[in-house]
Amino acid sequence: MISPPPRPVATKPLVSLRNVRVVLGGQPILRGVTADIARGQITALIGLNGSGKTTLLRTLVNEYPHTGTIEFHCGHDHSQPYPEAIGYVPQRLTLDARLPLTVRDFLALTLSRRPLFFGISRATAQKSQSILERVGAAECLDVPVEGLSGGQLQRVLLALALEPQPELLLLDEPAAGIDFKDQQRFYDLIATINRETGVTVLMVSHDLNMVRTYAHEVMCLRHGAIQCQGSPAEVLTPINLALVFGTQLPTFSSYNGS
Ligand SMILES: Nc1ncnc2c1ncn2[C@@H]1O[C@H](COP(=O)(O)OP(=O)(O)OP(=O)(O)O)[C@@H](O)[C@H]1O
Ligand SMILES: [Mg+2]
């Protein structure tokens, strides 16, 4: 007897947020976020300074208590309640400049549980080398972390976020402060990793041109709530941008409906 073909698995979003609220220091920061993060896509999160973008990312990794629901639909059958790994590239890195850690030491400290005074194991050294090669930053291995350029630091942090292979990659302004050429290379790398691994990406960006070029979906946050969500063509219209940023952005008039 021929068995029927397997029923296709409905494509659920990787993450569904419903009425997510976060209070920090007695102030409501997220005021009822309801949104879906599309599986396997690059979603850009945009909004004014202080609108709650970083808070939303940190809430997704359980750094802040919340009310409302955050549901993950992970694993090959989408039934796992939490991803095995979430990669996170923070908005800024606060390291003590008096501690002259090289990238080699920094990676070893993060990748292995072995104290540095026992030395770096051969396996960790090889892993550090290979994760840096993957993001085109192999030349950074012996550079002090404090001496990295903005673009190099972002690549090193991305290398760590990709180990182990995450199901969700959270990038908080990953290309802020780096020059246009490096920015483009960085976003190209994210696009390649997304295509090759199918990782779901949620990235905060203030660069609407990059969002337009690289994101499949855009979510706009305003005063701790989602103002609009959709494809870049749907969302990056002068009317929406005026609502989200509270001002006219004349340079984006050419994006209307294009
Ligand atoms: N731990 C905290 N305690 C109290 N208030 C906080 C805390 N963290 C963030 N906030 C406040 O929450 C608001 C949102 O901050 P958040 O960092 O999420 O904004 P953002 O959208 O990422 O801004 P930016 O674009 O500047 O990075 C801000 O008013 C901030 O001062
Ligand atoms: Mg932020």
Side-chain angles (χ1 to χ4, degrees):
M1 194 176 107
I2 299 171
S3 51
R7 282 226 311 248
V9 182
T11 304
K12 284 185 188 159
L14 185 80
V15 194
S16 301
L17 301 105
R18 296 292 175 266
N19 200 23
V20 172
R21 293 171 185 269
V22 172
V23 174
L24 297 176
Q27 298 296 317
I29 306 297
L30 298 184
R31 300 158 182 260
V33 171
T34 292
D36 289 325
I37 302 174
R39 178 183 307 280
Q41 306 268 287
I42 298 178
T43 298
L45 180 59
I46 65 172
L48 285 176
N49 295 135
S51 56
K53 303 179 298 297
T54 297
T55 304
L56 181 56
L57 262 51
R58 297 190 71 154
T59 304
L60 285 169
V61 291
N62 240 342
E63 282 288 307
Y64 293 140
H66 66 274
T67 59
T69 58
I70 301 178
E71 271 184 18
F72 289 90
H73 313 285
C74 299
H76 67 280
D77 59 358
H78 309 173
S79 70
Q80 303 300 316
Y82 205 71
E84 279 196 13
I86 297 181
Y88 196 113
V89 175
Q91 185 167 0
R92 52 185 79 84
L93 188 64
T94 39
L95 278 182
D96 189 337
R98 290 167 302 177
L99 199 60
L101 274 186
T102 63
V103 169
R104 184 190 299 277
D105 295 339
F106 178 62
L107 293 182
L109 277 173
T110 318
L111 292 173
S112 77
R113 289 171 183 267
R114 187 175 144 114
L116 260 193
F117 53 75
F118 286 142
I120 298 171
S121 73
R122 182 189 293 241
T124 302
Q126 280 169 351
K127 172 138 274 179
S128 300
Q129 177 83 33
S130 72
I131 68 170
L132 285 182
E133 279 168 6
R134 183 175 183 197
V135 298
E139 80 283 0
C140 298
L141 202 55
D142 291 308
V143 177
V145 175
E146 289 295 324
L148 293 172
S149 74
Q152 287 172 327
L153 176 63
Q154 290 315 94
R155 277 167 192 266
V156 169
L157 295 178
L158 178 65
L160 274 178
L162 294 172
E163 182 56 40
Q165 170 67 46
E167 205 162 349
L168 175 62
L169 182 58
L170 302 173
L171 307 171
D172 198 349
E173 300 192 38
I178 60 183
D179 69 48
F180 176 74
K181 227 171 170 179
D182 259 5
Q183 271 196 22
Q184 218 170 11
R185 285 201 205 104
F186 188 85
Y187 283 114
D188 280 341
L189 179 61
I190 298 296
T192 304
I193 290 166
N194 164 258
R195 222 174 21 250
E196 289 179 356
T197 68
V199 64
T200 300
V201 179
L202 179 62
M203 65 172 190
V204 175
S205 180
H206 288 289
D207 186 332
L208 300 183
N209 281 317
M210 292 295 169
V211 169
R212 171 98 188 156
T213 307
Y214 291 95
H216 305 110
E217 283 270 311
V218 185
M219 268 164 41
C220 308
L221 206 54
R222 179 171 160 82
H223 297 322
I226 300 292
Q227 176 89 39
C228 50
Q229 179 169 9
S231 69
E234 287 164 345
V235 169
L236 299 179
T237 63
I239 290 174
N240 277 335
L241 293 172
L243 286 171
V244 172
F245 294 102
T247 180
Q248 293 292 329
L249 293 178
T251 50
F252 278 84
S253 56
S254 60
Y255 288 151
N256 192 7
S258 65

